[in-house]
Short mmCIF file of all heavy atoms in Angstrom, two decimals:
data_model
loop_
_atom_site.label_atom_id
_atom_site.label_comp_id
_atom_site.label_asym_id
_atom_site.label_seq_id
_atom_site.Cartn_x
_atom_site.Cartn_y
_atom_site.Cartn_z
N GLY A 28 3.91 -13.13 -6.06
CA GLY A 28 4.31 -14.18 -5.12
C GLY A 28 5.01 -13.56 -3.81
O GLY A 28 5.74 -14.28 -3.22
N GLY A 29 4.67 -12.31 -3.48
CA GLY A 29 5.19 -11.86 -2.22
C GLY A 29 6.68 -11.67 -2.29
O GLY A 29 7.27 -10.98 -3.07
N THR A 30 7.34 -12.50 -1.43
CA THR A 30 8.87 -12.45 -1.42
C THR A 30 9.45 -12.93 -2.69
O THR A 30 10.61 -12.68 -2.91
CB THR A 30 9.36 -13.25 -0.24
OG1 THR A 30 8.84 -14.54 -0.30
CG2 THR A 30 8.90 -12.66 1.13
N PHE A 31 8.72 -13.69 -3.47
CA PHE A 31 9.34 -14.16 -4.80
C PHE A 31 9.73 -12.98 -5.64
O PHE A 31 10.80 -12.96 -6.29
CB PHE A 31 8.29 -15.04 -5.54
CG PHE A 31 8.69 -15.45 -6.92
CD1 PHE A 31 9.62 -16.48 -7.09
CD2 PHE A 31 8.25 -14.80 -8.01
CE1 PHE A 31 10.10 -16.81 -8.42
CE2 PHE A 31 8.63 -15.10 -9.31
CZ PHE A 31 9.55 -16.14 -9.50
N SER A 32 8.91 -11.94 -5.63
CA SER A 32 9.25 -10.78 -6.51
C SER A 32 10.44 -10.02 -6.00
O SER A 32 11.06 -9.30 -6.75
CB SER A 32 8.02 -9.77 -6.50
OG SER A 32 7.74 -9.27 -5.20
N VAL A 33 10.77 -10.21 -4.68
CA VAL A 33 11.97 -9.53 -4.17
C VAL A 33 13.22 -10.45 -4.43
O VAL A 33 14.25 -9.89 -4.83
CB VAL A 33 11.87 -9.35 -2.65
CG1 VAL A 33 13.06 -8.81 -2.06
CG2 VAL A 33 10.61 -8.45 -2.33
N ASN A 34 13.09 -11.74 -4.27
CA ASN A 34 14.21 -12.68 -4.46
C ASN A 34 14.48 -12.96 -5.91
O ASN A 34 15.65 -13.23 -6.27
CB ASN A 34 13.91 -13.94 -3.74
CG ASN A 34 13.81 -13.78 -2.27
OD1 ASN A 34 14.51 -12.97 -1.68
ND2 ASN A 34 12.88 -14.61 -1.60
N GLU A 35 13.48 -12.85 -6.79
CA GLU A 35 13.66 -13.09 -8.20
C GLU A 35 13.04 -12.01 -9.01
O GLU A 35 12.05 -12.17 -9.79
CB GLU A 35 12.99 -14.48 -8.62
CG GLU A 35 13.54 -15.68 -7.85
CD GLU A 35 14.91 -16.10 -8.39
OE1 GLU A 35 15.34 -15.57 -9.47
OE2 GLU A 35 15.60 -16.94 -7.75
N PRO A 36 13.54 -10.77 -8.94
CA PRO A 36 12.93 -9.63 -9.61
C PRO A 36 12.80 -9.72 -11.10
O PRO A 36 11.80 -9.32 -11.67
CB PRO A 36 13.74 -8.34 -9.11
CG PRO A 36 15.06 -9.02 -8.73
CD PRO A 36 14.70 -10.36 -8.21
N GLU A 37 13.87 -10.23 -11.76
CA GLU A 37 13.90 -10.28 -13.15
C GLU A 37 12.79 -11.21 -13.67
O GLU A 37 12.00 -10.89 -14.65
CB GLU A 37 15.22 -10.76 -13.70
CG GLU A 37 16.38 -9.72 -13.50
CD GLU A 37 16.96 -9.91 -12.06
OE1 GLU A 37 16.51 -10.80 -11.27
OE2 GLU A 37 17.86 -9.14 -11.74
N LEU A 38 12.69 -12.43 -13.07
CA LEU A 38 11.65 -13.34 -13.50
C LEU A 38 10.30 -12.89 -13.15
O LEU A 38 9.30 -12.98 -13.96
CB LEU A 38 11.91 -14.69 -12.79
CG LEU A 38 10.96 -15.88 -13.19
CD1 LEU A 38 10.92 -16.13 -14.62
CD2 LEU A 38 11.42 -17.13 -12.38
N SER A 39 10.12 -12.30 -12.01
CA SER A 39 8.87 -11.75 -11.55
C SER A 39 8.39 -10.68 -12.51
O SER A 39 7.19 -10.59 -12.89
CB SER A 39 8.98 -11.18 -10.15
OG SER A 39 7.83 -10.46 -9.79
N THR A 40 9.28 -9.78 -12.94
CA THR A 40 8.93 -8.75 -13.90
C THR A 40 8.58 -9.32 -15.20
O THR A 40 7.53 -8.84 -15.79
CB THR A 40 10.17 -7.77 -14.13
OG1 THR A 40 10.39 -7.22 -12.86
CG2 THR A 40 9.83 -6.74 -15.15
N LYS A 41 9.22 -10.26 -15.75
CA LYS A 41 8.87 -10.90 -16.99
C LYS A 41 7.55 -11.56 -16.96
O LYS A 41 6.72 -11.43 -17.89
CB LYS A 41 9.96 -11.99 -17.39
CG LYS A 41 9.65 -12.74 -18.73
CD LYS A 41 9.73 -11.75 -19.87
CE LYS A 41 9.67 -12.51 -21.23
NZ LYS A 41 8.41 -13.26 -21.43
N MET A 42 7.20 -12.19 -15.91
CA MET A 42 5.91 -12.89 -15.77
C MET A 42 4.76 -11.78 -15.75
O MET A 42 3.75 -11.99 -16.30
CB MET A 42 5.85 -13.63 -14.47
CG MET A 42 6.80 -14.91 -14.61
SD MET A 42 6.91 -15.75 -12.99
CE MET A 42 5.29 -16.57 -12.92
N GLY A 43 5.02 -10.67 -14.93
CA GLY A 43 4.04 -9.61 -14.98
C GLY A 43 3.79 -9.01 -16.32
O GLY A 43 2.69 -8.73 -16.72
N ARG A 44 4.90 -8.80 -17.09
CA ARG A 44 4.74 -8.25 -18.42
C ARG A 44 3.93 -9.18 -19.35
O ARG A 44 3.12 -8.63 -20.14
CB ARG A 44 6.14 -7.94 -19.01
CG ARG A 44 6.78 -6.71 -18.37
CD ARG A 44 8.25 -6.57 -18.92
NE ARG A 44 8.82 -5.23 -18.46
CZ ARG A 44 10.10 -5.16 -18.34
NH1 ARG A 44 10.92 -6.14 -18.63
NH2 ARG A 44 10.64 -3.97 -17.96
N ASP A 45 4.13 -10.45 -19.18
CA ASP A 45 3.39 -11.41 -19.98
C ASP A 45 1.88 -11.26 -19.69
O ASP A 45 1.03 -11.33 -20.61
CB ASP A 45 3.84 -12.85 -19.74
CG ASP A 45 5.20 -13.14 -20.34
OD1 ASP A 45 5.73 -12.36 -21.14
OD2 ASP A 45 5.79 -14.21 -20.02
N ARG A 46 1.50 -11.20 -18.44
CA ARG A 46 0.15 -11.04 -18.14
C ARG A 46 -0.44 -9.72 -18.64
O ARG A 46 -1.57 -9.76 -19.19
CB ARG A 46 -0.12 -11.07 -16.59
CG ARG A 46 0.26 -12.32 -15.91
CD ARG A 46 -0.36 -13.63 -16.55
NE ARG A 46 -1.70 -13.46 -16.96
CZ ARG A 46 -2.19 -13.79 -18.15
NH1 ARG A 46 -1.38 -14.16 -19.12
NH2 ARG A 46 -3.48 -13.57 -18.44
N ILE A 47 0.25 -8.70 -18.50
CA ILE A 47 -0.22 -7.33 -19.05
C ILE A 47 -0.41 -7.41 -20.52
O ILE A 47 -1.34 -6.92 -21.09
CB ILE A 47 0.83 -6.25 -18.67
CG1 ILE A 47 0.75 -6.03 -17.18
CG2 ILE A 47 0.42 -4.97 -19.36
CD1 ILE A 47 1.83 -5.20 -16.59
N ALA A 48 0.55 -8.08 -21.24
CA ALA A 48 0.51 -8.21 -22.73
C ALA A 48 -0.71 -8.89 -23.15
O ALA A 48 -1.40 -8.61 -24.18
CB ALA A 48 1.73 -8.87 -23.21
N ASP A 49 -1.14 -9.94 -22.40
CA ASP A 49 -2.33 -10.67 -22.71
C ASP A 49 -3.55 -9.80 -22.70
O ASP A 49 -4.49 -9.80 -23.56
CB ASP A 49 -2.50 -11.91 -21.80
CG ASP A 49 -3.52 -12.94 -22.23
OD1 ASP A 49 -4.13 -12.71 -23.30
OD2 ASP A 49 -3.66 -13.97 -21.54
N HIS A 50 -3.67 -9.00 -21.69
CA HIS A 50 -4.76 -8.01 -21.49
C HIS A 50 -4.78 -6.99 -22.57
O HIS A 50 -5.84 -6.66 -23.18
CB HIS A 50 -4.73 -7.38 -20.17
CG HIS A 50 -5.09 -8.26 -18.96
ND1 HIS A 50 -6.48 -8.36 -18.60
CD2 HIS A 50 -4.42 -9.06 -18.19
CE1 HIS A 50 -6.57 -9.22 -17.60
NE2 HIS A 50 -5.33 -9.69 -17.30
N LEU A 51 -3.57 -6.45 -22.87
CA LEU A 51 -3.51 -5.44 -23.95
C LEU A 51 -3.88 -5.99 -25.29
O LEU A 51 -4.54 -5.30 -26.11
CB LEU A 51 -2.13 -4.83 -24.03
CG LEU A 51 -1.67 -3.99 -22.82
CD1 LEU A 51 -0.24 -3.65 -22.96
CD2 LEU A 51 -2.54 -2.64 -22.92
N ALA A 52 -3.46 -7.28 -25.64
CA ALA A 52 -3.80 -7.89 -26.88
C ALA A 52 -5.30 -8.12 -27.06
O ALA A 52 -5.76 -8.18 -28.23
CB ALA A 52 -3.12 -9.20 -26.98
N HIS A 53 -6.03 -8.12 -25.96
CA HIS A 53 -7.52 -8.31 -26.13
C HIS A 53 -8.25 -7.03 -25.63
O HIS A 53 -9.50 -7.10 -25.35
CB HIS A 53 -7.94 -9.50 -25.22
CG HIS A 53 -7.33 -10.80 -25.73
ND1 HIS A 53 -6.13 -11.24 -25.36
CD2 HIS A 53 -7.82 -11.72 -26.60
CE1 HIS A 53 -5.87 -12.42 -26.06
NE2 HIS A 53 -6.91 -12.67 -26.79
N ASP A 54 -7.66 -5.95 -25.67
CA ASP A 54 -8.25 -4.61 -25.47
C ASP A 54 -8.94 -4.43 -24.14
O ASP A 54 -9.99 -3.85 -24.03
CB ASP A 54 -9.23 -4.32 -26.65
CG ASP A 54 -8.51 -4.27 -27.95
OD1 ASP A 54 -7.42 -3.72 -28.06
OD2 ASP A 54 -9.16 -4.79 -28.98
N SER A 55 -8.33 -4.95 -23.13
CA SER A 55 -8.90 -4.73 -21.79
C SER A 55 -8.65 -3.24 -21.40
O SER A 55 -7.63 -2.70 -21.73
CB SER A 55 -8.20 -5.56 -20.75
OG SER A 55 -8.36 -6.92 -20.95
N GLU A 56 -9.68 -2.76 -20.72
CA GLU A 56 -9.39 -1.36 -20.12
C GLU A 56 -8.94 -1.50 -18.66
O GLU A 56 -8.25 -0.69 -18.08
CB GLU A 56 -10.70 -0.60 -20.15
CG GLU A 56 -11.17 -0.24 -21.64
CD GLU A 56 -12.53 0.48 -21.52
OE1 GLU A 56 -12.60 1.57 -21.02
OE2 GLU A 56 -13.61 -0.19 -21.90
N ILE A 57 -9.56 -2.53 -18.02
CA ILE A 57 -9.33 -2.72 -16.58
C ILE A 57 -8.85 -4.18 -16.29
O ILE A 57 -9.47 -5.16 -16.93
CB ILE A 57 -10.65 -2.50 -15.75
CG1 ILE A 57 -11.26 -1.18 -16.17
CG2 ILE A 57 -10.38 -2.60 -14.24
CD1 ILE A 57 -10.63 0.05 -15.67
N ILE A 58 -7.92 -4.36 -15.47
CA ILE A 58 -7.53 -5.68 -14.91
C ILE A 58 -8.16 -5.78 -13.59
O ILE A 58 -7.87 -4.91 -12.72
CB ILE A 58 -5.99 -6.01 -14.92
CG1 ILE A 58 -5.39 -5.78 -16.27
CG2 ILE A 58 -5.76 -7.35 -14.39
CD1 ILE A 58 -3.87 -5.90 -16.28
N THR A 59 -8.89 -6.79 -13.30
CA THR A 59 -9.45 -6.96 -11.99
C THR A 59 -9.08 -8.27 -11.37
O THR A 59 -8.75 -9.25 -12.08
CB THR A 59 -11.04 -6.80 -12.02
OG1 THR A 59 -11.51 -6.68 -10.65
CG2 THR A 59 -11.72 -8.04 -12.63
N SER A 60 -9.17 -8.36 -10.09
CA SER A 60 -8.73 -9.60 -9.41
C SER A 60 -9.26 -9.50 -7.99
O SER A 60 -9.72 -8.41 -7.50
CB SER A 60 -7.24 -9.71 -9.34
OG SER A 60 -6.87 -10.90 -8.55
N GLY A 61 -9.30 -10.63 -7.28
CA GLY A 61 -9.61 -10.67 -5.82
C GLY A 61 -8.49 -10.44 -4.92
O GLY A 61 -8.62 -10.35 -3.74
N ASP A 62 -7.25 -10.24 -5.54
CA ASP A 62 -6.06 -10.05 -4.78
C ASP A 62 -5.36 -8.75 -5.29
O ASP A 62 -4.82 -8.70 -6.35
CB ASP A 62 -5.13 -11.21 -4.89
CG ASP A 62 -5.40 -12.32 -3.86
OD1 ASP A 62 -5.00 -12.06 -2.72
OD2 ASP A 62 -6.08 -13.32 -4.24
N MET A 63 -5.38 -7.72 -4.36
CA MET A 63 -4.77 -6.46 -4.72
C MET A 63 -3.22 -6.67 -4.79
O MET A 63 -2.56 -5.84 -5.44
CB MET A 63 -5.04 -5.38 -3.69
CG MET A 63 -6.39 -4.66 -3.82
SD MET A 63 -6.74 -3.96 -5.48
CE MET A 63 -5.25 -3.05 -5.96
N SER A 64 -2.67 -7.66 -4.18
CA SER A 64 -1.21 -7.81 -4.26
C SER A 64 -0.80 -8.12 -5.71
O SER A 64 0.21 -7.58 -6.18
CB SER A 64 -0.76 -8.99 -3.35
OG SER A 64 -1.57 -10.20 -3.56
N CYS A 65 -1.54 -8.97 -6.35
CA CYS A 65 -1.30 -9.19 -7.77
C CYS A 65 -1.42 -7.97 -8.60
O CYS A 65 -0.61 -7.63 -9.47
CB CYS A 65 -2.20 -10.36 -8.34
SG CYS A 65 -1.99 -11.96 -7.53
N LEU A 66 -2.51 -7.29 -8.35
CA LEU A 66 -2.76 -6.07 -9.09
C LEU A 66 -1.74 -4.94 -8.77
O LEU A 66 -1.35 -4.16 -9.70
CB LEU A 66 -4.18 -5.51 -8.75
CG LEU A 66 -5.35 -6.42 -9.17
CD1 LEU A 66 -6.63 -5.83 -8.68
CD2 LEU A 66 -5.34 -6.69 -10.68
N MET A 67 -1.25 -4.93 -7.56
CA MET A 67 -0.26 -3.94 -7.22
C MET A 67 1.09 -4.20 -8.07
O MET A 67 1.72 -3.27 -8.50
CB MET A 67 0.08 -4.08 -5.78
CG MET A 67 1.21 -3.13 -5.22
SD MET A 67 1.41 -3.18 -3.44
CE MET A 67 1.83 -4.87 -3.16
#
């Protein structure tokens, strides 16, 4: 969320970890997106 990750770092980090966990649980090798900001 751009500035959201700066203003709310704890919540932003938790949300990111949730998304990563979903990919790991389903054996993804690569996460892809049309937005490098999310991937970053």
Side-chain angles (χ1 to χ4, degrees):
T30 54
F31 175 79
S32 63
V33 177
N34 296 326
E35 299 286 350
E37 295 84 2
L38 181 55
S39 174
T40 297
K41 180 62 170 66
M42 294 171 71
R44 284 175 175 155
D45 285 349
R46 295 309 316 128
I47 291 167
D49 196 356
H50 286 272
L51 288 172
H53 294 87
D54 298 321
S55 298
E56 297 176 67
I57 311 289
I58 303 177
T59 194
S60 176
D62 272 283
M63 278 309 311
S64 53
C65 298
L66 295 177
M67 178 174 63

